[in-house]
Amino acid sequence: MSSERSSLRCRVGGLDLRSPIIAASGTWPHDPSFWRGELTAGLGAICTKGITRNRREGNRGIRLWETPCGLLNSIGLQNSGVEAFISGELPEIGSRDVSLIANVAVEDLPSLAEVLKLLASVKDQIDAVELNISCPNVDEGGIAWGSNPESTAKAVACARSLWGGPLWVKLTPHACDIVKVATSAQECGADALVVANTWLGMAIDVESEKPVFDRVVAGLSGPAVFPLALRLVWEVARCVSIPVIGCGGIAEARDVVAMLFAGASAVEMGTALFLDLNLPAKFTLILKEYMQRHGYASTEEMVGVASHAGGI
């Protein structure tokens, strides 16, 4: 089979993607020059930074801390607020050549409703909403919404009632039972599930003899969490009927293949982009060569192959 006949196009959670690789929230510049041209080659979509009702300055103190195999971050949902996003940032990236997924961070239900009503007024410019019920870097809302099936149901039901387009839900790896949380999100109207967000960690500065971050804990991403994320994708994909998007520690093209084989229909990558924004384009070339060598005509044929081949 010619590699030209291996297609990366796929349909995931109500969205047609030219590639199964997506830039995760908070990892891609909002500068419009980054939303078109060669830099977007290999990307199926880009997630925006987390959007909240009002402007947030983000967390104080140190925000990033490298670990031997990852990155701790404590950004804290810094963003300009939904109205500034609609009036300022969205028009600037309007001529993009890649799909836009608006990451909406859940603080409380009234604020969520206001954000979604405002986004609905520009729905033609937004391809999907990614409901973020998993941010570990804020004191209120965030990860608490995705920690159990009951609070997840409230957030997803609220979003579903106000947003008629594709609705993806980004889960936390710290849910008490992520399969039950995933099932709850599906039952309340999610079109796809992103599995998952960063893992809570911390660092201590041995010179100052105190925690590095003002909030003590921060979100760990990077290659260190890939095996953990892969396991969650495997567990969730076997228990839901909607697409799963694998997210966590993807740093090589073979990680994309592994996520697909575990049951993901697409992947989100983030930390690796800080090293090279051209990785998606490089990965797609390797992925197409792999597909040709193994006789896959589409990535959809690869979804869940590992479980079909003798998994549990």
Side-chain angles (χ1 to χ4, degrees):
M1 178 184 298
S2 165
S3 62
E4 296 301 321
R5 297 176 60 186
S6 295
S7 175
L8 299 180
R9 291 191 173 277
C10 52
R11 183 167 179 79
V12 180
L15 204 57
D16 290 316
L17 302 175
R18 66 186 184 187
S19 161
I21 300 176
I22 301 163
S25 176
T27 65
W28 197 264
H30 276 203
D31 184 312
S33 64
F34 287 81
W35 287 68
R36 63 178 72 93
E38 293 183 3
L39 279 175
T40 63
L43 284 172
I46 299 173
C47 295
T48 69
K49 292 186 291 187
I51 301 168
T52 55
R53 176 62 185 89
N54 299 309
R55 178 184 181 88
R56 293 181 65 107
E57 298 297 334
N59 292 332
R60 302 175 65 178
I62 292 175
R63 293 183 172 189
L64 296 174
W65 188 266
E66 288 191 51
T67 71
C69 200
L71 180 69
L72 285 160
N73 93 80
S74 180
I75 303 300
L77 294 176
Q78 178 182 349
N79 77 103
S80 55
V82 64
E83 287 165 323
F85 171 76
I86 291 173
S87 63
E89 298 174 43
L90 190 58
E92 290 189 348
I93 54 180
S95 60
R96 64 189 181 273
D97 59 14
V98 63
S99 296
L100 181 150
I101 300 173
N103 181 287
V104 175
V106 182
E107 300 171 291
D108 55 65
L109 294 183
S111 297
L112 172 62
E114 290 186 51
V115 171
L116 291 173
K117 287 176 182 176
L118 288 166
L119 290 181
S121 69
V122 290
K123 61 184 180 182
D124 293 343
Q125 302 175 55
I126 296 172
D127 298 294
V129 161
E130 179 179 77
L131 193 68
N132 183 350
I133 56 172
S134 51
C135 178
N137 294 320
V138 292
D139 294 327
E140 298 178 353
I143 193 172
W145 285 102
S147 296
N148 63 73
E150 293 77 20
S151 55
T152 295
K154 291 178 182 178
V156 178
C158 176
R160 184 72 288 170
S161 70
L162 295 165
W163 177 256
L167 176 64
W168 298 8
V169 180
K170 191 168 188 175
L171 307 182
T172 170
H174 293 287
C176 57
D177 184 332
I178 195 168
V179 170
K180 289 184 178 177
V181 168
T183 303
S184 176
Q186 175 181 265
E187 292 174 347
C188 291
D191 294 307
L193 302 169
V194 181
V195 180
N197 208 320
T198 56
W199 299 68
L200 275 177
M202 69 174 293
I204 291 179
D205 186 334
V206 298
E207 297 300 327
S208 65
E209 303 179 355
K210 62 181 183 180
V212 166
F213 299 105
D214 284 7
R215 295 186 68 252
V216 178
V217 296
L220 177 65
S221 60
V225 307
F226 178 76
L228 308 174
L230 188 68
R231 187 261 298 176
L232 293 183
V233 167
W234 175 274
E235 292 180 353
V236 171
R238 295 174 57 242
C239 298
V240 298
S241 57
I242 56 178
V244 170
I245 295 95
C247 179
I250 292 172
E252 301 181 47
R254 64 182 179 183
D255 296 338
V256 178
V257 175
M259 280 289 190
L260 296 174
F261 283 171
S265 297
V267 301
E268 290 190 6
M269 56 184 298
T271 304
L273 295 175
F274 296 142
L275 298 175
D276 186 355
L277 288 176
N278 291 308
L279 281 182
K282 296 175 181 175
F283 285 4
T284 54
L285 292 176
I286 297 171
L287 183 56
K288 291 190 75 171
E289 186 279 329
Y290 178 92
M291 293 168 66
Q292 184 271 330
R293 184 156 43 89
H294 289 263
Y296 290 108
S298 71
T299 57
E300 293 172 344
E301 293 180 359
M302 303 168 68
V303 177
V305 160
S307 60
H308 303 156
I312 297 173

